[in-house]
Amino acid sequence: KGLNFEFEDINPGPVVKSLDDFKTDLLKLLDDPHYFKDRREYLNKFFNEVQSDSMPAIMNFIHKELEKR
């Protein structure tokens, strides 16, 4: 079935190919809080954070649809 996005595009950290890569990047992540920070913040904003108050737009849409009936 797959993913909706390419894994490499939505992964908030390094994509490792070996155990050695995993160990290296794990140590970098533990030692440097800024390592991949921009990437994590970007993806958090893209997937999780509400960007605006969408309720008024939703309610307007519902009211308009109800008025049509």
Side-chain angles (χ1 to χ4, degrees):
K1 297 186 181 192
L3 299 172
N4 291 330
F5 301 93
E6 292 295 323
F7 178 74
E8 288 80 10
D9 294 340
I10 62 164
N11 191 39
V15 177
V16 297
K17 307 275 187 214
S18 69
L19 183 58
D20 286 337
D21 290 346
F22 173 76
K23 290 176 185 177
T24 299
D25 280 319
L26 179 61
L27 290 174
K28 285 180 187 177
L29 286 165
L30 292 172
D31 290 338
D32 181 3
H34 299 288
Y35 186 56
F36 274 85
K37 180 182 179 194
D38 291 342
R39 181 88 177 136
R40 291 190 311 267
E41 288 175 348
Y42 168 78
L43 289 171
N44 185 47
K45 188 174 187 180
F46 183 80
F47 285 108
N48 299 322
E49 291 186 13
V50 176
Q51 299 300 312
S52 65
D53 183 14
S54 59
M55 186 54 69
I58 294 169
M59 293 305 299
N60 286 336
F61 173 80
I62 292 171
H63 284 298
K64 287 179 184 175
E65 290 299 312
L66 290 174
E67 287 174 356
K68 291 178 184 178
R69 295 173 185 228

